[in-house]
């Protein structure tokens, strides 16, 4: 690299649903320190925050995120229950009303985001066209948002194939890449499960026992026979005289969330190992649930804290 050429800084903002508001805090810390990324790439929620930065609207987004309440988030959700729980039209319409979209090419800084082609599983880089449409494709988490349509293809969340798009930053000419990984502490000893991970019992144990007795009455003999069969099978599987410890049973959403977390951690680690960033910022946001978009201030504060810890290394690299 030419010693006289200015270093181009790329910012790779990773996927992470509501944890992604931490990206806003990271950007705030960088700007306060006089570090202004020249280009930004994002995956999923990182695509949304990255677009705001590239458009020069990051302060406005910070105010909006801080103002979000649970009720405000719910008002942007339009249930569809076909190819996804949320259609996303309300969210898109909101951004069209409140943000001018002159296309990716007209943004103040170079910008791109990642999506996944549903039919082939290919990684798709979105570098032109309407900003809001590109972001909508990148955030289309399967099962939550319906897929987006673009150029005759169905596109879903970019985090499925490239959760922290360092490779895209390099392809766009970044000399130094700052990556923000929101998935590193989702699984294992470092994780902080969201309080809603496990389903709460809907009635006290006494009520459950009573309901079992009532349901047993019409077919008492058959129920007792099934119970004996299950007990026999259980004794074969667990020959010990001590009963096995009861484990809390996750809810359906809890199972889905935990499974997605495992997938995200594995893919993120694999991609960052093969395509390392120069600096990786890792906010501790695993305690924020995937739909906790109303906890933006907490996420932004954690992003700010994590970025400030990385500043000495960044200054050394950019010196």
């Amino acid at each position: 690299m030419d010693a006289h050429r200015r270093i181009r800084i790329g910012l790779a903002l990773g996927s992470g649903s509501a944890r992604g508001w931490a990206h806003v805090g990271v950007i705030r810390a960088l700007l306060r320190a006089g570090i202004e990324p020249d280009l930004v790439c994002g995956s999923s929620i990182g695509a949304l925050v990255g677009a705001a930065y590239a458009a020069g609207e990051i302060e406005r987004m910070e105010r909006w995120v801080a103002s979000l309440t649970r009720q405000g988030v719910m008002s942007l959700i339009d249930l569809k229950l076909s190819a996804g729980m949320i259609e996303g039209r309300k969210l898109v319409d909101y951004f069209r009303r409140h943000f001018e979209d002159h296309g990716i090419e007209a943004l103040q800084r170079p910008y791109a985001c990642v999506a996944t082609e549903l039919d082939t599983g290919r990684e798709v880089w979105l570098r032109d066209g309407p900003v809001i449409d590109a972001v909508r494709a990148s955030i289309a988490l399967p099962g939550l948002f319906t897929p987006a349509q673009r150029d005759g293809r169905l596109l879903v969340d970019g985090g499925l194939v490239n959760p922290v798009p360092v490779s895209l930053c390099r392809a766009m000419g970044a000399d130094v890449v700052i990556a923000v990984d929101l998935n590193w502490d989702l699984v294992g000893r470092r994780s902080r499960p969201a309080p809603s991970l496990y389903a709460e019992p809907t009635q006290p144990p006494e009520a459950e026992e009573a309901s079992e007795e009532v349901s047993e009455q019409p077919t008492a003999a058959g129920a007792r026979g099934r119970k004996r069969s299950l007990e026999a099978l259980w004794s074969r599987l667990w020959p010990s005289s001590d009963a096995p410890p009861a484990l809390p049973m996750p809810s359906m959403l809890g199972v889905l969330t935990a499974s997605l977390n495992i997938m995200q951690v594995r893919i993120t680690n694999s991609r960052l190992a093969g395509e390392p960033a120069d600096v990786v910022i890792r906010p501790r946001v695993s305690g924020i649930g995937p739909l906790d978009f109303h906890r933006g201030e907490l996420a932004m504060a954690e992003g700010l804290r994590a970025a400030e810890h990385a500043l000495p290394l960044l200054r050394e690299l950019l010196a």
Side-chain angles (χ1 to χ4, degrees):
M1 186 175 64
D2 186 350
H4 300 288
R5 185 170 70 84
R6 181 178 173 274
I7 296 175
R8 294 195 74 198
I9 304 171
L11 182 61
L13 302 179
S15 61
S17 300
R19 300 186 302 276
W21 294 148
H23 292 317
V24 179
V26 169
I27 294 172
R28 186 204 304 170
L30 295 177
L31 296 179
R32 282 183 181 177
I35 300 172
E36 296 188 19
D38 301 285
L39 60 95
V40 59
C41 301
S43 187
S44 195
I45 189 68
L48 175 60
V49 177
Y53 172 72
E57 296 276 9
I58 194 64
E59 291 184 1
R60 188 176 171 194
M61 169 159 274
E62 182 177 348
R63 293 193 297 271
W64 177 68
V65 170
S67 71
L68 281 176
T69 61
R70 190 187 299 271
Q71 291 74 19
V73 173
M74 293 299 295
S75 71
L76 297 174
I77 293 177
D78 42 6
L79 294 180
K80 186 176 179 64
L81 301 180
S82 174
M85 291 175 58
I86 301 172
E87 185 175 9
R89 188 179 301 276
K90 282 187 177 181
L91 183 64
V92 168
D93 288 345
Y94 175 88
F95 283 111
R96 291 197 196 285
R97 289 195 307 271
H98 292 84
F99 296 89
E100 294 185 10
D101 186 354
H102 299 295
I104 292 176
E105 301 88 339
L107 292 171
Q108 294 181 12
R109 293 178 175 84
Y111 166 83
C113 63
V114 180
T116 305
E117 187 174 5
L118 185 60
D119 290 337
T120 65
R122 291 192 308 165
E123 181 176 338
V124 178
W125 292 354
L126 304 176
R127 302 177 61 173
D128 54 31
V131 178
I132 294 174
D133 290 349
V135 170
R136 171 64 178 84
S138 189
I139 67 172
L141 184 65
L144 184 61
F145 281 98
T146 58
Q149 299 185 43
R150 180 182 170 112
D151 301 329
R153 298 179 294 182
L154 291 177
L155 301 180
V156 293
D157 197 292
L160 296 178
V161 289
N162 198 350
V164 187
V166 175
S167 56
L168 183 49
C169 276
R170 301 283 189 202
M172 292 178 65
D175 301 310
V176 171
V177 175
I178 304 168
V180 184
D181 176 11
L182 305 176
N183 301 321
W184 69 281
D185 63 342
L186 289 180
V187 177
R189 291 173 299 172
R190 296 169 302 197
S191 65
R192 302 176 184 176
S196 59
L197 180 62
Y198 295 110
E200 295 294 332
T202 55
Q203 53 185 348
E206 296 81 4
E208 292 180 357
E209 291 174 2
S211 64
E212 288 176 2
E213 291 174 1
V214 171
S215 64
E216 188 178 328
Q217 289 175 2
T219 57
R224 284 194 293 271
R226 285 194 298 272
K227 184 177 181 181
R228 284 194 295 270
S229 298
L230 289 172
E231 287 173 349
L233 177 61
W234 190 270
S235 64
R236 291 179 185 176
L237 295 174
W238 298 88
S240 172
S241 59
D242 296 327
L247 297 176
M249 185 58 62
S251 66
M252 183 175 67
L253 180 59
V255 173
L256 178 61
T257 299
S259 301
L260 287 173
N261 287 347
I262 293 169
M263 179 189 71
Q264 289 285 283
V265 170
R266 297 298 187 189
I267 297 173
T268 300
N269 290 344
S270 177
R271 292 299 299 251
L272 286 177
E275 301 153 354
D278 297 283
V279 175
V280 181
I281 297 173
R282 292 187 166 101
R284 292 189 63 87
V285 285
S286 63
I288 297 176
L291 298 181
D292 288 347
F293 291 99
H294 59 288
R295 300 177 69 189
E297 291 202 68
L298 175 62
M300 289 189 294
E302 180 54 32
L304 177 70
R305 185 202 64 79
E308 287 177 341
H309 278 286
L311 288 178
L313 177 57
L314 272 170
R315 292 191 177 103
E316 184 178 339
L317 279 174
L318 300 175

